Amino acid sequence: QVQLVESGGGLVQAGGSLRLSCAFSGSIFSANAMGWYRQAPGKQRELVADNPSGDSTNYADSVKGRFTISRDNTKNTVYLQMNSLKPEDTAVYYCHADQFRRGVKYDYWGQGTQVTVSS
């Protein structure tokens, strides 16, 4: 059974840094795209950053220059380095991965990890 296990959330002061990790396991096939989304109270889930394939990356405008997504394919793990954190970055962060098997796309989500930035 495919699992995405996240770690690294927590409470940090504005201007601080956190690093999130997400490990993909439970499949003999590797993940295709991997990325991070977040959902703040009362708001819709939004894309933070993703790595669709190879070295390509996408970032939300609000995090460009502050967050960096990286990936270790040998460990099937994706990371999100978050610097210069702001109170508006407070949200539950979810890891996402997709996978293609026999031409069918499957989407997987982690359980979410809370990031709280105090002012």
Side-chain angles (χ1 to χ4, degrees), residues 63-82:
V63 307
K64 283 180 182 176
R66 300 188 297 121
F67 291 10
T68 303
I69 188 170
S70 61
R71 188 166 167 178
D72 184 343
N73 288 323
T74 65
K75 298 180 180 179
N76 264 337
T77 299
V78 65
Y79 306 95
L80 185 68
Q81 178 66 43
M82 305 184 292

Side-chain angles (χ1 to χ4, degrees), residues 12-77:
V12 64
Q13 288 189 332
S17 298
L18 284 173
R19 188 190 194 213
L20 305 183
S21 300
C22 172
F24 175 92
S25 64
S27 174
I28 62 172
F29 301 101
S30 298
N32 179 45
M34 295 188 76
W36 294 93
Y37 289 70
R38 68 185 180 188
Q39 188 167 17
K43 295 188 176 181
Q44 290 190 329
R45 191 173 295 190
E46 62 175 0
L47 173 70
V48 177
D50 71 359
N51 168 221
S53 63
D55 293 330
S56 66
T57 55
N58 300 301
Y59 292 94
D61 288 342
S62 59
V63 307
K64 283 180 182 176
R66 300 188 297 121
F67 291 10
T68 303
I69 188 170
S70 61
R71 188 166 167 178
D72 184 343
N73 288 323
T74 65
K75 298 180 180 179
N76 264 337
T77 299

Side-chain angles (χ1 to χ4, degrees), residues 63-119:
V63 307
K64 283 180 182 176
R66 300 188 297 121
F67 291 10
T68 303
I69 188 170
S70 61
R71 188 166 167 178
D72 184 343
N73 288 323
T74 65
K75 298 180 180 179
N76 264 337
T77 299
V78 65
Y79 306 95
L80 185 68
Q81 178 66 43
M82 305 184 292
N83 298 329
S84 302
L85 282 160
K86 304 175 181 179
E88 51 263 44
D89 294 318
T90 295
V92 178
Y93 284 69
Y94 296 91
C95 179
H96 169 263
D98 65 34
Q99 190 181 54
F100 288 93
R101 298 199 302 271
R102 298 184 179 88
V104 178
K105 181 173 176 284
Y106 296 85
D107 288 282
Y108 303 102
W109 293 92
Q111 78 282 3
T113 186
Q114 178 71 46
V115 171
T116 303
V117 184
S118 63
S119 56

